Amino acid sequence: MTSHDVFQEVQRMQEDRSKKVEERAHGIWESEGRPDGKHDEHWKRAEQELSEGEKQSETPKARSSTASGGSEKKRRQSKA
């Protein structure tokens, strides 16, 4: 992969994220009755929500695999 390819991939990822923020901010705007003058507030909230969602989606995977493994072990022991 060349540095140009890496640059293009990073640019595409930033555009994807920006589109998600835009869509979420629009949803917030609509849910609040389409008020004027709150674009920045809605944009910041959308960024924050997406960041929090990304953090939460990263951590439960590790926890859920351990947690479900532990629960599954207990179920097997109780059936035996």
Side-chain angles (χ1 to χ4, degrees):
M1 183 176 264
T2 67
S3 60
H4 180 69
D5 293 336
V6 172
F7 175 77
Q8 285 183 322
E9 180 66 14
V10 168
Q11 189 175 20
R12 184 192 62 76
M13 290 170 63
Q14 288 173 339
E15 289 170 358
D16 289 349
R17 179 160 173 68
S18 184
K19 182 70 175 165
K20 288 177 184 177
V21 172
E22 180 182 351
E23 290 171 353
R24 181 63 195 125
H26 184 79
I28 294 168
W29 173 70
E30 285 188 328
S31 72
E32 292 186 357
R34 301 179 176 187
D36 289 333
K38 290 195 170 186
H39 175 267
D40 290 339
E41 178 185 325
H42 295 156
W43 190 270
K44 288 176 186 173
R45 266 183 51 198
E47 286 180 321
Q48 185 178 9
E49 288 178 15
L50 288 172
S51 293
E52 289 172 0
E54 290 166 355
K55 287 178 188 174
Q56 288 176 357
S57 68
E58 290 172 5
T59 50
K61 289 179 186 176
R63 286 188 203 149
S64 66
S65 63
T66 358
S68 66
S71 300
E72 184 61 32
K73 186 177 179 181
K74 287 178 185 177
R75 278 188 232 126
R76 281 190 236 140
Q77 288 174 346
S78 67
K79 289 182 181 179

